[in-house]
Amino acid sequence: MSMYYGWKSFEEDEDRPEKPRQFGVTEMRGPDHTLLTQNLLQDIFESMGQFVDGLKFSGGSNSLMPKSFLKQVIDMAHQHNVYVSTGDWAEHMIRQGPSAFKDYVEECKQMGFDTVEFNVTSLGVPEETLLRYVRLIKSGGLKAKPQFAVKFNKSDIPLGGDRAFGAYVPPSPRSTEFVEDVDLLIRRAERCLEAGADMIMIDADDLCKHADSVRADIIAKVIGRLGLEKTMFEASNARASEWFVKQYGPKVNLFVDHSQVMDLECLRGRNLGKNNNSVLGGSYFLF
């Protein structure tokens, strides 16, 4: 690792271990909205492979690729000690019934996938059914990663629009709806972990769109109950990644776009400084 970290300034208690890591995991988005060729992946793995822990095929993109191409990409990732996740496509197979999902898990195992991720929010299945799917994935020899999305009452979002500087803005009535949703999410996530789930993915996109301290409290509550090592947050932009590292240090697990890998590693490997200036130059903090 010294060949990578020679230019960085890790504090002794902030350094991350060699791969495979249990915390400070960086999962990279694979082909989804943009074309990610084998050559580009090879360049990323050869130049930044030490900083990439996982590769996820988002949006069901793996279902559109020839199996031969998919197998080459998976083998390339494994050569660089990068695990490969199916992304949030499993829920489409779950809707076809337990037998179809079992066949899907077996096929993922044969193709070389390491992790099966499924979107719990879009499924809407009873809790016991959810736990059976987790156990089915684990019995197939793969890691299970349920994905949850935090719901909140839109009335809790601060009003925007043009207004005079210093103008009084009457506070909107507060709602406890988001607290109930988060408590339910945490309880179901805890049950998934008890059933054998390896990681809980949290879709933090909506939480990171608004500079509202309530959302900082939600994230803190999720991490406080589930633990930092068992939680991964989807950071859809560089500002979100910087906020997570600033708030929780380099050990936070993040899912980012491939274009953000180097910036994220810079943030992980160095303190943000006395003036809260990141290694990227400007200050992007959300909260």
Side-chain angles (χ1 to χ4, degrees), residues 191-258:
R191 292 291 306 279
C192 287
L193 292 173
E194 293 171 359
D198 299 271
M199 183 80 72
I200 301 297
M201 172 71 82
I202 303 295
D203 183 355
D205 189 36
D206 287 342
L207 297 176
C208 298
K209 286 181 178 178
H210 308 280
D212 183 4
S213 60
V214 171
R215 282 150 193 81
D217 292 343
I218 291 175
I219 293 172
K221 189 172 186 178
V222 170
I223 291 179
R225 291 276 297 276
L226 301 181
L228 197 63
E229 294 185 8
K230 291 295 185 178
T231 312
M232 177 176 289
F233 291 93
E234 180 175 353
S236 58
N237 55 66
R239 295 190 306 165
S241 298
E242 184 164 357
W243 183 85
F244 276 110
V245 175
K246 174 180 178 288
Q247 193 76 9
Y248 294 101
K251 296 181 180 180
V252 65
N253 303 316
L254 294 176
F255 168 61
V256 298
D257 187 76
H258 69 277

Side-chain angles (χ1 to χ4, degrees), residues 42-248:
Q42 184 70 32
D43 290 342
I44 293 174
F45 289 149
E46 290 182 354
S47 61
M48 299 181 290
Q50 184 65 27
F51 312 133
V52 179
D53 297 271
L55 171 68
K56 183 168 85 168
F57 289 87
S58 299
S61 56
N62 55 300
S63 66
L64 303 176
M65 299 178 182
K67 291 184 178 180
S68 58
F69 176 85
L70 190 59
K71 191 67 167 62
Q72 291 174 6
V73 172
I74 294 174
D75 290 343
M76 182 193 306
H78 287 165
Q79 290 173 7
H80 294 272
N81 200 15
V82 174
Y83 69 82
V84 184
S85 172
T86 61
D88 49 353
W89 180 249
E91 59 268 20
H92 298 284
M93 306 304 299
I94 290 176
R95 293 189 179 97
Q96 299 180 22
S99 61
F101 182 65
K102 183 177 181 181
D103 293 340
Y104 171 73
V105 172
E106 292 177 355
E107 183 178 5
C108 290
K109 178 69 173 180
Q110 294 174 1
M111 291 296 298
F113 281 100
D114 305 286
T115 302
V116 173
E117 181 176 321
F118 58 96
N119 193 319
V120 175
T121 307
S122 66
L123 281 176
V125 297
E127 187 172 294
E128 292 304 320
T129 303
L130 170 64
L131 300 181
R132 283 201 299 269
Y133 288 134
V134 172
R135 297 187 186 104
L136 193 152
I137 295 172
K138 295 297 293 183
S139 64
L142 297 173
K143 294 184 177 181
K145 185 164 64 173
Q147 178 185 3
F148 292 84
V150 178
K151 297 179 180 180
F152 53 87
N153 194 321
K154 292 184 179 180
S155 65
D156 290 318
I157 300 176
L159 297 175
D162 297 331
R163 60 176 182 264
F165 177 77
Y168 172 73
V169 179
S172 58
R174 308 304 293 174
S175 169
T176 59
E177 180 181 346
F178 74 92
V179 176
E180 295 172 355
D181 286 340
V182 171
D183 286 338
L184 176 61
L185 178 155
I186 293 174
R187 183 174 66 85
R188 300 186 78 187
E190 287 174 335
R191 292 291 306 279
C192 287
L193 292 173
E194 293 171 359
D198 299 271
M199 183 80 72
I200 301 297
M201 172 71 82
I202 303 295
D203 183 355
D205 189 36
D206 287 342
L207 297 176
C208 298
K209 286 181 178 178
H210 308 280
D212 183 4
S213 60
V214 171
R215 282 150 193 81
D217 292 343
I218 291 175
I219 293 172
K221 189 172 186 178
V222 170
I223 291 179
R225 291 276 297 276
L226 301 181
L228 197 63
E229 294 185 8
K230 291 295 185 178
T231 312
M232 177 176 289
F233 291 93
E234 180 175 353
S236 58
N237 55 66
R239 295 190 306 165
S241 298
E242 184 164 357
W243 183 85
F244 276 110
V245 175
K246 174 180 178 288
Q247 193 76 9
Y248 294 101

